[in-house]
Amino acid sequence: MNTRSHLTRRRFVTGSAAALASIAFVRAPARAATWTYRYASNLTVDHPLNVSMRQCWNAVRDETGGRLDVKMFPNSQLGGDTAVLTQLRSGAVQFFTLDGGILQGVVPVAAIQGIGFAFKDSADAFRALDGALGDYVRKEIGAKGLYVHPKMWENGMRQITSNTKPIRSADDLANFTIRTPAGALWVDLFKSFGASPTPINFNETYTALQTKIVDGEENPYAIIDSAHLYEVQRYLSVTNHMWSAYHFLGNNTAWLALPADVRAIVERNLTRYALQQRVATAERNASLADQLARRGMKINQAETESFRTRLQTSGFYRKWKATFGQTAWDLLEANSGKLA
Ligand code: X2X
């Protein structure tokens, strides 16, 4: 008979069951965690990334017998991405998921995942980033003193939203004010399209759109939905102009403070839940168009050839090839085909 059914039965048998139960709890207290770490995310709790991440940390807590307790800080509770990256590097935050395009400020080549029209879909992109291109980027991240897990977490193919007009072709981006994440490649991509980009951290994006500091932004469907951007954006133009995904990063000192068995439990669960999250997020991205249309968004398919042409004629590919270097570029083109 296990303790639980024993106590349950006694509760019916004797009036002192509550007292007995509390004695049992005093004698078997929950073990205090040896390590209490913080995980930060710019996404809402109900985005599939954080749904899987919560399951991941629950599994880690169970499998380590409560030794490692990771507290989640979703929704940019600890600050905007660039500020949290600083906290991660100083050790105030131990774990963080960050898009390679924003990590660019510290690890330049990390932005290569966001080269315009390099990947036709997420499966295509994951082949490169789970493979040799990803290994190259992860080596550079490690060289900057950060821990990085080998499986990235899905954000998705990005679409342009607007409050003023549908974006049908690159011509519609002329002088269009658009928020991009805080990364140099992102800003340059939209300049090359002919737009007027402003880098703004995600936690300030809703307000920037609401107060019309910018007319548009670009994100995958699951974020347009989970962050309620449809409340402050009228048009959604399907462009699939770039792919976006998160590296799982750790402060290296905090990571190495964990014993090998705990690190193995964390890595195994991160792999398991990252793969689960990829499927769940892809399903959301593929199925939300109707729901966003019902919420009032006007959705159109953009003519993307004009966008690609701008990247050729502006020298965008040539410039970023020179920045990232031949080795990284070759690894990219091994998946994407010739770009520059
Ligand atoms: O900042 C964004 O737009 C977001 C949420 O997609 C990223 O983290 C790149």
Side-chain angles (χ1 to χ4, degrees):
M1 184 193 300
N2 67 32
T3 314
R4 195 196 185 129
S5 60
H6 176 66
L7 289 176
T8 308
R9 189 174 58 79
R10 299 242 359 186
R11 193 165 288 143
F12 286 99
V13 177
T14 155
S16 62
L20 280 174
S22 64
I23 288 165
F25 281 118
V26 169
R27 288 171 71 193
R31 184 145 42 139
T34 312
W35 301 277
T36 303
Y37 280 4
R38 297 169 150 206
Y39 160 74
S41 162
N42 63 10
L43 298 174
T44 55
V45 269
D46 59 341
H47 186 284
L49 184 146
N50 278 329
V51 172
S52 289
M53 196 61 87
R54 182 166 298 286
Q55 292 172 5
C56 176
W57 299 130
N58 285 343
V60 165
R61 197 177 302 114
D62 285 351
E63 290 176 33
T64 60
R67 280 181 295 161
L68 176 58
D69 184 16
V70 179
K71 306 243 182 273
M72 297 194 35
F73 293 86
N75 220 5
S76 300
Q77 282 171 21
L78 300 179
D81 283 336
T82 46
V84 176
L85 179 56
T86 303
Q87 294 171 46
L88 178 82
R89 297 179 76 205
S90 73
V93 168
Q94 289 77 31
F95 294 137
F96 183 31
T97 38
L98 183 66
D99 189 288
I102 305 170
L103 183 58
Q104 178 175 29
V106 175
V107 185
V109 79
I112 199 167
Q113 68 181 63
I115 287 287
F117 299 102
F119 303 112
K120 68 176 192 310
D121 56 27
S122 296
D124 196 21
F126 276 123
R127 265 190 296 280
L129 274 298
D130 282 340
L133 179 63
D135 290 341
Y136 183 93
V137 171
R138 284 183 286 275
K139 200 158 148 253
E140 295 294 312
I141 297 173
K144 288 284 152 55
L146 289 169
Y147 167 78
V148 57
H149 184 267
K151 294 285 177 238
M152 295 186 79
W153 296 61
E154 169 78 318
N155 191 352
M157 300 303 292
R158 298 177 79 93
Q159 322 301 347
I160 298 176
T161 65
S162 154
N163 193 32
T164 49
K165 61 179 179 188
I167 305 302
R168 301 188 199 280
S169 74
D171 284 347
D172 293 317
L173 287 179
N175 301 318
F176 182 73
T177 58
I178 185 165
R179 173 269 172 180
T180 69
L185 183 143
W186 239 302
V187 173
D188 191 52
L189 179 71
F190 276 87
K191 276 194 182 143
S192 303
F193 288 149
S196 300
T198 304
I200 298 174
N201 275 319
F202 189 63
N203 62 334
E204 290 166 13
T205 297
Y206 184 99
T207 306
L209 295 167
Q210 189 176 39
T211 58
K212 304 197 165 44
I213 288 170
V214 285
D215 287 333
E217 65 83 53
E218 41 87 61
N219 251 303
Y221 287 94
I223 286 187
I224 297 165
D225 178 63
S226 63
H228 293 205
L229 299 183
Y230 55 82
E231 294 170 355
V232 287
Q233 295 283 269
R234 184 153 174 72
Y235 303 96
L236 190 162
S237 302
V238 180
T239 50
N240 294 307
H241 55 277
M242 67 189 283
W243 177 68
S244 173
Y246 297 85
H247 285 290
F248 180 92
L249 304 172
N251 172 278
N252 216 24
T253 308
W255 176 247
L256 293 174
L258 302 173
D261 67 316
V262 172
R263 279 186 266 143
I265 290 169
V266 172
E267 289 195 316
R268 182 164 30 77
N269 280 292
L270 283 172
T271 298
R272 173 172 172 202
Y273 288 101
L275 297 180
Q276 170 187 292
Q277 178 272 348
R278 289 182 187 182
V279 176
T281 303
E283 277 168 7
R284 296 289 290 158
N285 284 333
S287 65
L288 276 167
D290 285 352
Q291 192 173 316
L292 289 170
R294 278 199 300 280
R295 292 196 147 127
M297 293 198 93
K298 305 237 170 294
I299 303 182
N300 71 286
Q301 297 288 329
E303 178 277 291
T304 52
E305 208 40 50
S306 58
F307 290 72
R308 292 167 189 267
T309 304
R310 297 278 168 106
L311 297 189
Q312 291 294 349
T313 55
S314 67
F316 172 86
Y317 292 123
R318 277 193 306 281
K319 169 182 169 177
W320 288 99
K321 177 180 175 177
T323 305
F324 294 140
Q326 190 71 48
T327 309
W329 198 261
D330 284 348
L331 292 170
L332 176 70
E333 287 190 337
N335 285 84
S336 66
K338 199 106 189 91
L339 295 166

